[in-house]
Amino acid sequence: MTSARGLVAAQSARFTSLDPLLPSAVEPPTDGHVITAALADGARVAGVISHKTYEEHSTIRLWSTAQVWELLPLVGTSQGMDALLTRFRRHLDTQDVHDEDSACVVHWPSRDTKAARAFLDHGLVPLSVLAVRLRAPQPRLPRTLTIRRATPHDLDAVLELSLAELEYSSFVGSTLVRPEARAVKQRALAERLANASPIWLAERDGIAVALAECAIVSSEPGTMAAMRLPRGRWGYVNCVSVLPGARGTGIGQQLVAYAHQELHRMGAVGTYLYYNPPNPLSSVFWPRQGYRPLWTVWEVRPAAALR
C-alpha cells in the first residue's frame, strides 16, 4: 500500500484502534516536501515536511522557535517511523538549519508508544501534549474566591498573570520569553478582552490572584482543529495562571471548575489544552482535573540536533 490515499485510510484505522477520540487521519498539504522510505518487508511509508518561518513580534513566537520544520507522517499501520525520521534527517542535510532559533516538530497520538521509541532515538522529546477532558459533572467545591468575567479595564492584571505563567513555563516547556513578549501579549489580550472573549479572573479581597484565559473552538471539516479533535464545539483552556504566592491553596482548582462550567454552558462538548510533561505543577494538576493526553508534540531544538 504505497499511495497516499491508502496510507491515510490505514493510518485512520490505526488511530481508531489506538484511541477512540482521535479524528481520522487526513491527507497532508501539497505545498510541503514529500519524503518516502522503504521498509524491510517491501512496504513504503511517506511524509510531508512543512517549513515555516514566523515573523518577529508574532504571537506564535512566544511558544515556538522562529523556524520550524514539521513532519506530517503517513506510516499507515506499519512501524515505519524510524525509517521516516531517518529520511527527515537526510532532508535537513540539504537545508540551512544552522539557526539556533529553530526546531523539528512532529505531532503524534500519545498512545502510540511504539512510535515513541523512534522519536526518542532520533533526539526528539515530548515537550508538550494536547490533553482533552470530556464533559462531566463538576465536583462541588467550596467557593473561597470571587470569580468574574474579565473586562478591558482588567488588562493590566490579566497581562501580569499571563506573563507570570509564560515565564514559569519557559523553564519547563516550549514557551520563550522574548524581548517583545510584554508588547505582544498586551496587544493580543487587549484584543481578546475587547471582543469579550471567555476570560475569567479569581479575586481575593479585591485583588486578582488567578487567571483563566479560554476560547471556544469549532472542530469542523477543513479546520485546523479537525486534525486534532473530534467533531464539535470545544472549550480551549489557553492559559491558567495563579500568582506564585497563592499556588497550592486550591485557587486554580476552583477557577478551572468554574471555567469548565461556563464553557459547557456555551455548548462545549469537552475542553482541551496544552501542558508540558516536564512541568512539575501542570503535569500533576491537569490529570487531577480530568484531562488525559491525546496528542504528544515531539520536538528537538535546534533543528540541526535531529539525529
Side-chain angles (χ1 to χ4, degrees):
M1 187 177 294
T2 59
S3 70
R5 186 169 298 175
L7 285 171
V8 169
Q11 190 153 291
S12 291
R14 175 163 174 72
F15 282 4
T16 299
S17 69
L18 286 169
D19 192 327
L21 285 184
L22 288 170
S24 297
V26 298
E27 291 193 27
T30 58
D31 58 350
H33 179 83
V34 178
I35 58 174
T36 62
L39 306 183
D41 62 1
R44 297 189 71 85
V45 292
V48 173
I49 300 170
S50 170
H51 177 218
K52 295 180 180 178
T53 300
Y54 298 109
E55 295 182 1
E56 190 175 0
H57 301 292
S58 63
T59 305
I60 196 169
R61 280 177 47 133
L62 297 183
W63 66 84
S64 168
T65 57
Q67 286 197 79
V68 175
W69 280 266
E70 181 175 358
L71 173 65
L72 292 85
L74 279 179
V75 296
T77 58
S78 76
Q79 297 301 323
M81 193 65 75
D82 178 71
L84 198 61
L85 290 169
T86 298
R87 286 288 296 114
F88 189 9
R89 175 63 256 187
R90 290 178 185 169
H91 172 72
L92 290 181
D93 290 337
T94 68
Q95 306 295 302
D96 181 10
V97 294
H98 302 296
D99 189 346
E100 289 295 307
D101 196 357
S102 64
C104 292
V105 175
V106 186
H107 291 72
W108 199 247
S110 298
R111 292 185 176 180
D112 193 352
T113 54
K114 292 182 178 179
R117 181 70 265 167
F119 293 134
L120 291 169
D121 288 345
H122 285 268
L124 293 116
V125 296
L127 204 55
S128 60
V129 297
L130 186 161
V132 293
R133 177 188 184 276
L134 294 180
R135 186 169 183 168
Q138 285 288 135
R140 292 187 176 274
L141 300 173
R143 183 74 60 79
T144 62
L145 303 160
T146 298
I147 300 175
R148 63 175 178 82
R149 192 78 167 255
T151 73
H153 298 292
D154 298 306
L155 177 59
D156 289 344
V158 169
L159 177 61
E160 293 307 319
L161 282 160
S162 182
L163 288 172
E165 191 277 334
L166 179 74
E167 181 179 12
Y168 183 85
S169 295
S170 69
F171 295 109
V172 290
S174 58
T175 56
L176 297 161
V177 182
R178 299 185 183 274
E180 67 272 17
R182 175 175 288 272
V184 170
K185 277 282 189 183
Q186 184 173 34
R187 183 179 68 244
L189 290 169
E191 182 177 342
R192 299 208 66 223
L193 289 169
N195 292 332
S197 297
I199 300 173
W200 293 278
L201 284 173
E203 295 178 329
R204 176 176 285 169
D205 299 327
I207 298 173
V209 293
L211 163 74
E213 182 199 347
C214 305
I216 291 291
V217 175
S218 292
S219 175
E220 302 297 340
T223 64
M224 289 295 295
M227 296 179 63
R228 305 285 178 235
L229 298 167
R231 301 278 178 86
R233 189 175 169 88
W234 287 80
Y236 175 42
V237 183
N238 179 46
C239 172
V240 171
S241 178
V242 179
L243 287 180
R247 291 172 187 159
T249 62
I251 288 175
Q253 187 179 15
Q254 290 183 56
L255 180 56
V256 167
Y258 183 89
H260 285 160
Q261 174 183 297
E262 294 302 301
L263 290 168
H264 293 321
R265 283 181 181 175
M266 297 176 192
V269 298
T271 51
Y272 75 102
L273 50 80
Y274 289 87
Y275 74 82
N276 306 122
N279 187 326
L281 300 182
S282 63
S283 60
V284 175
F285 178 81
W286 290 116
R288 286 179 175 171
Q289 312 315 310
Y291 287 86
R292 58 93 163 172
L294 184 64
W295 294 87
T296 298
V297 185
W298 294 87
E299 188 166 348
V300 58
R301 299 179 180 182
L306 181 71
R307 296 199 292 264

